[in-house]
Amino acid sequence: MNITLRTLIAAAGVAVAFSASAQTATPNIDQRQANQQARIEQGKATGTLSKREAARMEAGQAKVQGMKQAAAADGKVTRAERKAIQKEQNKQSRRIHRQKHDGNKK
């Protein structure tokens, strides 16, 4: 009976650990961050983003990353937090697009 009780307690502990990590997982946000960073790198490589513009875009990406870390700090990223992060990502995406297509070169 002790073995069965221990097994149940261990299984419950594992379930709690997985559910906690699932609540802070943000794969869509992570993928979008990676895509936007790649757009910035591509802009730097082709010269459509100056060093100053690229630095500003990367600061925007850092802001989004900070928002994500702050949201996950309590162990759960809520729907409202995800929405706020996505709103900021939309803003950063528009900025990247505008800066890459404004005609300024290195």
Side-chain angles (χ1 to χ4, degrees):
M1 192 158 164
N2 282 339
I3 294 173
T4 304
L5 185 58
R6 285 184 204 162
T7 304
L8 288 174
I9 292 171
V14 169
V16 168
F18 280 127
S19 68
S21 68
Q23 292 172 346
T24 60
T26 53
N28 293 337
I29 292 170
D30 295 339
Q31 183 60 52
R32 188 156 182 207
Q33 283 291 96
N35 292 346
Q36 289 183 353
Q37 187 60 43
R39 289 171 56 206
I40 293 168
E41 293 301 322
Q42 186 269 339
K44 288 193 310 191
T46 62
T48 57
L49 286 178
S50 69
K51 287 182 181 182
R52 188 174 187 176
E53 289 172 335
R56 224 174 308 137
M57 299 302 102
E58 288 173 343
Q61 292 300 101
K63 178 181 179 183
V64 172
Q65 188 64 29
M67 290 175 69
K68 183 184 144 209
Q69 289 174 345
D74 64 355
K76 183 172 195 301
V77 180
T78 65
R79 181 174 287 153
E81 290 169 331
R82 286 178 199 275
K83 188 174 181 178
I85 293 168
Q86 288 170 349
K87 184 177 180 180
E88 186 63 29
Q89 283 182 319
N90 291 342
K91 186 194 255 184
Q92 295 304 322
S93 180
R94 285 189 301 272
R95 286 180 177 165
I96 294 167
H97 177 80
R98 272 196 313 269
Q99 291 299 314
K100 282 181 72 174
H101 296 88
D102 66 356
N104 293 342
K105 297 287 181 185
K106 278 188 192 179

